């Protein structure tokens, strides 16, 4: 059989993986989607209770919509915001159903290589098909051959730890019974009981942390949530950008998350602890947890810890492929400068497609959230445009593959995350300000939209 007659293996049946399959099918190329979970969109279903800050109009892929149209499927109101559960049930599962046996669930990819060639061997390498090793849910192992591999497996299964150095904090694994790495579903009575009336540390500074703080504040204000308290742990100081773009965010729901988190702090439902890089998580005599920082500070005991410090890619099963990844972000080296949070500002990403996503190993692409490596702020529409370009490239239509257009909504926040971590980054990027000395702070009212740096919240900037 010619290599061109083999399917393209897509790893992961999430939003980007299913969109990749739709684009491949549209071009007459047979996809084989391998999903480790028991159903399509398994990762999305794990945060089904969380509402997206993108509307339905922004989270449906055009090729997928064409594939769904003959079934009578209609997109929900484009102006409304789906939850993760809505996204999975009303769009992703129907899309997987249309793709039929092109989607295999319970199929964990354990390795990818060239047939008969490990990563060392050059001879006739590009003429060999890819070989993909799979372990089924019952433990049975098999292999399939592919003409190309699109890895859309995401990063959900590999969250970053609480430790400020990128490693798990000392004692973090031992305290796993009181630590969670996702936003808890407080509508679930059992989960609600776990946090009600408790003191909970939330570690992180992005949209997930904002959501968790807002959820805990709502619980504190409820009839059965008296005594619920959040402790927000930030590795950086408080600045004008800490709570995101607010009303300046072109994705209003994303801006609202930051404002809700700010309200949680302002109303006393959460305290913010700044400049705190967790080194150890110790268990007190009563079973509660004590967080210790690299600078020697120790916080009062907490009952629970929610770690929301981002995600990182699992590259272990790609070890026999020749990838060219940025040594910091673990993203494709051509893409990394476009998304680097140490430099990137204001939420826009330069248009990118198959060329930025390519590797020395031809016909291998990391797409979707996985393409961003450790960088944050990935949007579904980014993944959809990536796979449109990649599918065109695999089909040999380079004119279409190179015609990439992508404009993302502004966050309203300038300055990279790395800059804000620096204690001496005083006004270096125009959108930040110098970090205060580590302390427990309560924040004032938000600055008005369009305010200058001097008008930022009183708790956050020097000289205010």
């Amino acid at each position: 059989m010619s290599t061109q007659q083999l399917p393209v293996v897509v790893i992961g049946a999430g939003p980007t993986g299913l969109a990749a399959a739709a684009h491949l099918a549209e071009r007459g190329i047979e996809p084989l989607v391998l999903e480790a979970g028991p159903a399509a969109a398994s990762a999305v279903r794990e945060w089904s209770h969380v509402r997206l800050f993108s509307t339905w109009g922004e989270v449906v892929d055009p090729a997928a919509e064409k594939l769904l149209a003959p079934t009578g499927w209609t997109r929900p109101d484009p102006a409304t915001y789906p939850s993760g559960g809505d996204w999975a049930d009303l769009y992703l599962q129907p899309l997987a159903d249309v793709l039929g046996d092109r989607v295999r669930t319970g199929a964990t990819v354990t390795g990818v290589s060239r047939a008969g060639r490990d990563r060392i061997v050059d001879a006739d390498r590009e003429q060999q098909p890819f070989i993909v090793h799979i372990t089924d849910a019952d433990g049975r192992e098999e292999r399939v051959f592919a003409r190309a591999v699109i890895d859309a497996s995401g990063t959900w299964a590999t969250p970053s730890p609480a430790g400020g150095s990128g490693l798990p904090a000392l004692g973090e694994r031992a305290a796993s019974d009181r630590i969670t790495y996702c936003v808890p579903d407080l509508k679930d009575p059992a989960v609600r009981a776990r946090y009600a009336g408790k003191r909970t540390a939330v570690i992180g500074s992005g949209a997930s942390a904002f959501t968790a703080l807002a959820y805990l504040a709502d619980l504190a204000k409820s009839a059965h949530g008296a005594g619920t308290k959040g402790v927000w742990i930030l590795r950086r100081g408080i600045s004008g950008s800490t709570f995101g773009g607010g009303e300046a965010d072109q994705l209003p729901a994303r801006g609202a998350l930051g404002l809700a988190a700010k309200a949680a702090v302002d109303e006393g439902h959460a305290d913010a602890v700044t400049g705190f890089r967790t080194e150890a998580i110790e268990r007190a005599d009563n079973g509660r947890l004590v967080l210790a920082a690299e600078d020697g500070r120790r916080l009062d005991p907490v009952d629970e810890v929610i770690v929301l410090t981002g995600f990182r890619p699992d590259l272990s099963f790609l070890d026999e492929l020749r990838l060219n990844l940025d040594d910091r972000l673990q993203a494709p080296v051509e893409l990394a400068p476009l998304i680097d949070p140490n430099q990137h500002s204001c939420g826009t990403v330069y248009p990118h497609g198959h060329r930025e996503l390519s590797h020395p190993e031809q016909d291998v692409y990391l797409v979707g959230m996985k393409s961003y490596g450790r960088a944050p702020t990935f949007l579904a529409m980014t993944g959809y445009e990536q796979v449109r370009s990649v599918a065109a490239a695999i089909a040999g239509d380079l004119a279409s593959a190179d015609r990439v257009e992508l404009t993302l909504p502004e966050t309203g926040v300038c300055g990279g995350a790395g800059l804000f971590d620096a204690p001496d980054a005083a006004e270096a990027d125009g959108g930040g300000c110098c970090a205060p000395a580590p302390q427990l702070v309560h924040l004032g009212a938000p600055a008005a939209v369009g305010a200058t740096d001097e008008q930022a919240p009183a708790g956050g900037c020097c000289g205010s």
Side-chain angles (χ1 to χ4, degrees), residues 198-217:
K198 304 292 179 60
R199 179 177 165 87
T200 299
V202 177
I203 305 176
S205 59
S208 293
F210 295 164
T211 302
L213 289 167
Y215 281 8
L216 290 172

Side-chain angles (χ1 to χ4, degrees), residues 392-413:
I394 293 173
D397 185 357
L398 293 184
S400 177
D402 288 335
R403 192 170 58 249
V404 179
E405 297 180 2
L406 177 64
T407 302
L408 297 182
E410 296 276 357
T411 63
V413 179

